[in-house]
Every structure is written in structure tokens, then in C-alpha cells.
Amino acid sequence: MSTIRGARERARVEVTAAIKDEARKQLAAEGAAKLSLRAVARELGMVSSALYRYFPSRDDLLTALIVEAYDAVGEAAETARAEAGAPAGAISPAARWTAVSCAVREWALGHPHEYALIYGSPVPGYAAPQDTVGPASRVGQVLISVVRDAHLAGGLALPPVDPALRPEAARMAADLAPDLPPAVVAALVSAWAQLFGLISFELFGQFNRVVEAREQLFRHAVHELGHSVGLLDGRTSAAADAARA
Amino acid sequence: MSTIRGARERARVEVTAAIKDEARKQLAAEGAAKLSLRAVARELGMVSSALYRYFPSRDDLLTALIVEAYDAVGEAAETARAEAGAPAGAISPAARWTAVSCAVREWALGHPHEYALIYGSPVPGYAAPQDTVGPASRVGQVLISVVRDAHLAGGLALPPVDPALRPEAARMAADLAPDLPPAVVAALVSAWAQLFGLISFELFGQFNRVVEAREQLFRHAVHELGHSVGLLDGRTSAAADAARA
DNA sequence: GTCTATACCCCGATAGAC
DNA sequence: GTCTATCGGGGTATAGAC
């Protein structure tokens, strides 16, 4: 029904896409704080006021870029999960955890400025509207689903949990994954932040002059992070199977 | 000798400090990308060209702020280590590790914009000069020293290390802490990045609507991070290994 | 070391003609 | 939906008088 409409609608979609493309280039050159409608218009051969027919304000354009970035990294994570045999393929959940993590890192390395837009310092004076919270949760949802698969297959160890953290762990579990043990959910939220800590340090230059073999360090660290949420690697998984049999 | 000099020198120091103070306020209001010499001058009742006698360019002012921020967080970490009984006081290295981590987090919560300046997205168009690398390493040095104390006291378990990571672990150890086992150094670098990942997620808003008891989650996570580098608290080395497996 | 003045740029947003 | 024109800001940096 709405696949083919008038030429106006098609043109509008194309111009909107061109604006966002150019804005992404500016993001790379100048950063989100200096994203300017005028510069985008100039580069597109338009006049600045014409852009307001597509985006009512600079912040709306920024929001569109943020949503697209979250969607892109979320899709990268979802694709990696699928290719690594979700929901319960031949590949172990631990390997799927690593595959998803590596996919997120690779997306970040390939789109450093979009990564900085969503996982770096907040843009001063910009308040994220509600539209961003759904897309922002996609990567987290993928990580949860990988751990859930392991849980359903009985291949999940229970991480230790500090008694002081128990109420919060229960609250987070109720919110995020009621079917998982609270200890796992708490460990998962920590691991989620730590995963992005590794990526951010690499991307934001903290590893300069410190780490050289960054992919190896990353793979090793996320493997250990998988353990921290209770995922078992191949050997212990086999041992668990043996114990069960 | 140089403690008391002419009034000109004193005035210069005071004005320089006032400029940096005002610049820090602007950092909070507008972000590093929009830090402007003119606005600083305006607020100080000076004329913009007068500032160039103190800082030859906007980037030099930014560099001064970055160095001061690294020094401030480094000092917070060093103070926490001292208060927690360095180099080999009554308090366990694991507790010292947590104390240092919490001190860094508290500094970050108290100085969010300075934190974003040094650990957030890089400022577009700004290249950090060599002056920043020394101050930037202070927190890392504190973490290393805490682990070193544990090592000297014989209270350090050997973290597992992926064979693929061994050459890089050896290289990093030679660079950063030749007296520590490479496996420990590799785990330390990972833990360092993960620690800041936890702080950045909290500060940059990723925990909004997800985590409420943030201090509890943080303490629990850094406690586990301590284990990941080999620090033992109550448990024996064997128990720690078992917990990890 | 501070001042005025200046050159030469940038921005977001709107009004109203076409 | 695009245009011109405009309002009312903002910026870095330098020259040269005092």
C-alpha cells in the first residue's frame, strides 16, 4: 500500500537520507557538539532554512543520528548472534557471547564517531528523548538472550553475589530478565558496562602506547567476562554434561 | 628560591588560575568542544586578546585542563591507596584495590565534566601533546602498585592467560611492570579498562532506568575485578581458581 | 600586559516571496 | 518546499596604541 507513493514522498525520503549521511560526515569531522544545520545545508547545496522542512531543529537531527547508531550496533549484535547459531545451535553460549562482543567491537572500530555519539560523553545541552531508549537496549537484549539460552540448556554457573547487592539484583532481574537468577542479571549488567569499557578505552585512545595486540586482549577479556556471568566454556560444559549423565 | 618572587609573577599565577577555574565552569556548561577563550575572558571581565598572554591558543588551555584533571584523579587514587594502608599495611590488597576504585569513582561523580574531558570521547580536532601522558598514567600506576604489594606478599593467584595473548602479555609486562607475571599484567590492563567502563556507564547515563543502587553494583563489580587480576581476599588461591572455573 | 579595533569567519532560527 | 533576507548572536586570532 505505502510501498509506492507519489514522487514527492520518494524525494522526501531521499533528501532526508542525504541530510543524515552528510550529518554523519560532519560528526566525524567536528563532533556532535558542533553538528550544524548550516554546514550540512551548505555541503548539500541547499540553503539552511530548507533543512527545517526535514528536521524541525538541530536536536531532532541529532536524535535521528543517535537512533540510527543504536540500531546499527544492535543489528550487528543480533546478526552475530544469529550467525553464531542462536537460539540453541551447535555453538556454545560462551562462543556466542564472544562472537557478539567481537561484533560490537568491530562495528565500533568501523564507526568510531557514531560509537562516540552514543557511548561517549553526553552532548552538552542535548537531552535524549524517549525515542532513543528502545534502540539503546538492543545490544543488552542480545547479551541477555545469549545467557538465557545457556540458562535454559542448564549450562550456567551461578556467579557469587554480595549480600548487599541482593535487593538490587532482584530488582534488576525483575525489570530485565525475570526468568534468570538475580545473581546472573547483576553480573550481566556489570559485564555489559565492562565490555563497553574495553571498547571505549581502545577507541578513545587510552590504549595508545599501552596495548598493541588489541584484538587478542579484547577476546581474552570478554572470554573471562563470559565466565563472570556464569557461562561455561567448552571443557567445563562437557564436564557438566558428564556430571549430569 | 622561587617561592617568593616579584608581584608580577604572583599576579600571573593568580590570573592563570582564575582563567583555568572559569574554563572549568564553561566545560561543565558547554562541553570541551565549545570551550571558548572569548567566553572565558568575558566572564572574567577581560578582553579576549588579553588571554593570549597566558595561553597561546585554545588548545593550550584545553591541555592545561586535561593535565589538571588527570592529576586530580591520580591524586585521589594515590590518597586512597595511602589511607588504605599502602604499601603493606594491615588492610588486604583486595580491600585496597576496592578503596582505590571507589575513590576514582567518587572523584568522577564529583567532577563529571572533567571526567568526560579525559575519559570520554576525544575532543574533535584536538591532539593531546606529550605533556598529558605522564599524568594520564597515574591511576594505572596506583593499580599496579596495589597488585605489586600483593605479589610481594605472596598473596596473588595467577590469572589464566590465553596462549594467543602470551606475547602481548609479555610485552605489556616488560613495559609496565617487569616484576609482575605477564598474566597478571594482562589481566590488570583489562581490569583497568573495565573499571572505567563501569564509571563511564554510570556517568554517561547508560545506567538510567537500568541500575539504581549504583554504588553497590560498582563495589561488587570491582571486588570481582580484583579477583580477576589475582587478588585474594578471604579465599585461598585454590578456592579463587575454583570460583573462576 | 591590557586595551581598542579589526579581519574574517561561524551559528540557529524565522519571515515572507515565489 | 525552496528561496532571499534578516535578526541576533557567537567564535579565533592579530595589529598596534598605550
Side-chain angles (χ1 to χ4, degrees):
Chain A
M1 294 173 73
S2 67
T3 47
I4 296 189
R5 297 278 288 274
R8 289 153 221 74
E9 282 81 357
R10 270 205 311 280
R12 175 161 250 280
V13 170
E14 274 163 28
V15 174
T16 303
I19 291 171
K20 287 192 283 193
D21 278 356
E22 179 57 37
R24 259 188 293 271
K25 282 182 203 155
Q26 299 223 353
L27 216 56
E30 299 288 348
K34 288 192 179 164
L35 175 65
S36 111
L37 289 184
R38 288 183 92 114
V40 171
R42 198 168 35 238
E43 222 62 29
L44 256 41
M46 302 169 73
V47 95
S48 66
S49 56
L51 281 204
Y52 286 84
R53 301 282 168 183
Y54 298 88
F55 295 95
S57 78
R58 196 200 80 122
D59 282 8
D60 290 278
L61 175 53
L62 207 48
T63 298
L65 296 179
I66 288 172
V67 168
E68 287 200 351
Y70 275 127
D71 276 333
V73 67
E75 192 180 318
E78 287 159 14
T79 301
R81 174 187 53 184
E83 288 178 353
I91 305 180
S92 75
R96 217 144 59 217
W97 171 272
T98 301
V100 168
S101 301
C102 286
V104 171
R105 171 174 173 270
E106 263 145 40
W107 181 87
L109 289 176
H111 307 79
H113 304 99
E114 288 165 81
Y115 178 88
L117 177 64
I118 53 180
Y119 292 110
S121 344
V123 182
Y126 171 83
Q130 204 66 19
D131 319 36
T132 62
V133 315
S137 71
R138 284 175 68 172
V139 170
Q141 291 301 324
V142 173
L143 295 175
I144 289 173
S145 78
V146 169
V147 172
R148 176 178 293 123
D149 291 343
H151 179 60
L152 293 176
L156 200 58
L158 214 58
V161 58
D162 186 334
L165 186 61
R166 249 171 230 150
E168 176 68 359
R171 200 197 56 74
M172 291 190 294
D175 253 29
L176 301 172
D179 55 332
L180 291 179
V184 168
V185 175
L188 199 38
V189 171
S190 297
W192 170 60
Q194 290 168 348
L195 162 65
F196 282 94
L198 291 161
I199 297 173
S200 292
F201 257 36
E202 178 174 354
L203 239 68
F204 295 167
Q206 301 284 347
F207 281 170
N208 290 353
R209 276 176 278 262
V210 177
V211 181
E212 277 176 14
R214 291 163 192 187
E215 182 174 351
Q216 273 94 330
L217 186 70
F218 180 80
R219 293 188 79 92
H220 183 260
V222 298
H223 184 82
E224 295 298 312
L225 275 181
H227 288 170
S228 80
V229 302
L231 294 177
L232 309 166
D233 61 14
R235 189 168 53 174
T236 39
S237 177
D241 288 345
R244 215 175 0 263
Chain B
M1 293 177 74
S2 67
T3 48
I4 296 190
R5 297 280 287 274
R8 288 152 221 77
E9 282 81 357
R10 272 205 310 281
R12 175 162 249 280
V13 171
E14 274 164 27
V15 174
T16 304
I19 291 171
K20 288 191 285 193
D21 278 356
E22 180 55 38
R24 258 188 293 270
K25 281 182 204 156
Q26 300 224 352
L27 215 58
E30 299 288 346
K34 287 192 179 164
L35 175 64
S36 113
L37 290 184
R38 285 185 92 112
V40 170
R42 199 167 37 238
E43 222 60 32
L44 257 40
M46 301 168 73
V47 94
S48 67
S49 56
L51 281 204
Y52 287 83
R53 301 281 168 183
Y54 297 89
F55 294 94
S57 77
R58 195 200 81 121
D59 281 9
D60 291 277
L61 175 53
L62 208 47
T63 298
L65 295 179
I66 289 171
V67 168
E68 287 201 350
Y70 274 128
D71 277 332
V73 67
E75 193 180 316
E78 287 160 13
T79 301
R81 174 186 53 185
E83 288 178 353
I91 306 180
S92 76
R96 216 142 62 219
W97 171 272
T98 301
V100 168
S101 301
C102 287
V104 171
R105 171 174 173 270
E106 263 146 39
W107 182 87
L109 289 176
H111 305 80
H113 304 98
E114 288 165 80
Y115 178 88
L117 176 65
I118 54 181
Y119 291 109
S121 344
V123 182
Y126 170 83
Q130 204 65 19
D131 319 36
T132 61
V133 314
S137 71
R138 285 175 67 173
V139 169
Q141 291 302 324
V142 172
L143 295 175
I144 288 172
S145 79
V146 169
V147 172
R148 177 178 292 123
D149 292 343
H151 179 60
L152 294 176
L156 200 59
L158 215 58
V161 57
D162 186 333
L165 186 61
R166 250 170 228 152
E168 176 68 0
R171 200 198 55 75
M172 291 191 293
D175 254 29
L176 301 172
D179 56 331
L180 291 178
V184 169
V185 175
L188 200 37
V189 171
S190 298
W192 170 59
Q194 291 168 349
L195 163 65
F196 282 94
L198 292 161
I199 296 173
S200 292
F201 257 36
E202 178 175 354
L203 239 69
F204 295 167
Q206 302 282 349
F207 281 170
N208 291 352
R209 275 176 277 262
V210 178
V211 181
E212 277 176 13
R214 291 163 191 186
E215 182 175 350
Q216 272 96 329
L217 185 71
F218 180 80
R219 294 188 79 94
H220 183 261
V222 297
H223 184 81
E224 295 299 313
L225 275 180
H227 289 167
S228 79
V229 302
L231 293 177
L232 311 167
D233 52 357
R235 335 179 188 186
T236 67
S237 163
D241 287 345
R244 206 168 13 249

